[in-house]
Amino acid sequence: MNIDQILDKVYLLPEASKNSLKEHITEVSYPKGFCLMEADKVIPYLYFIRKGIARAYSSTADNDITFWFGSEGQCILSMKSYVEDRPGYESIELLEDCDLYRMETESLRKLFNEDIHIANWGRKLAEAEMIKSEELIISRQFKTSLERYKDIMTYQPELLKRVQLGYIASYLGITQVSLSRIRGEIK
């Protein structure tokens, strides 16, 4: 996706506001396996995925727990860093070579103060990210792993082709053996 499509998906901006925003966005590329964000650090950027896929995870003493996948057109940010300028709890790993659009959070904050349209765009971005978090929490609390897997099949089928099954099992909160059973039941 190009940057205009991504920005428009968040909230339609007047052309002058969109151009102001785009002046602060740069294109960057990183290889598969690159750690884009580390837990317990303030992340001074937000990113949009032009091409590729990423995962967010938190580490425990025993393993990493994947709780989010992002692909083309989606935003990558640490909400704690974005909103409060505090260290986030998540790490972000690139699962493919990725082309990204990057923007400094501080530049965006300055634009919020200068342009009400960009401020509204930022509010819409934060609202969309909060809704994703809410949906994830509700899904984890009220749906079985089978139902969550079927949701992936319906709403994010590309994940099943592009992401290691171990990460999908972690995302579902189950073992790879349980995921294999679920996949067998569905076939």
Side-chain angles (χ1 to χ4, degrees), residues 112-125:
F112 289 163
N113 291 326
E114 296 169 6
D115 187 323
I116 188 67
H117 301 291
I118 295 174
N120 283 329
W121 179 89
R123 178 180 51 84
K124 288 293 192 182
L125 176 67

Side-chain angles (χ1 to χ4, degrees), residues 81-137:
S81 293
Y82 176 73
V83 174
E84 297 182 336
D85 208 24
R86 293 180 45 210
Y89 54 85
E90 69 275 76
S91 293
I92 308 284
E93 176 189 12
L94 304 182
L95 300 180
E96 296 176 348
D97 292 343
C98 287
D99 297 329
L100 308 166
Y101 299 106
R102 180 177 72 188
M103 182 172 199
E104 289 184 20
T105 307
E106 188 56 37
S107 296
L108 184 57
R109 287 185 187 127
K110 287 178 184 172
L111 289 172
F112 289 163
N113 291 326
E114 296 169 6
D115 187 323
I116 188 67
H117 301 291
I118 295 174
N120 283 329
W121 179 89
R123 178 180 51 84
K124 288 293 192 182
L125 176 67
E127 289 171 355
E129 293 302 312
M130 293 308 295
I131 288 170
K132 286 180 201 174
S133 296
E134 184 179 73
E135 288 172 347
L136 176 64
I137 291 167

Side-chain angles (χ1 to χ4, degrees), residues 12-28:
L12 291 175
L13 288 164
E15 206 59 35
S17 298
K18 187 192 297 186
N19 288 335
S20 292
L21 194 55
K22 286 171 28 178
E23 286 175 11
H24 296 273
I25 295 172
T26 58
E27 291 187 44
V28 295

Side-chain angles (χ1 to χ4, degrees), residues 160-173:
L160 302 176
K161 296 174 186 164
R162 297 169 71 184
V163 174
Q164 296 175 25
L165 290 180
Y167 294 147
I168 292 182
S170 173
Y171 177 75
L172 296 172

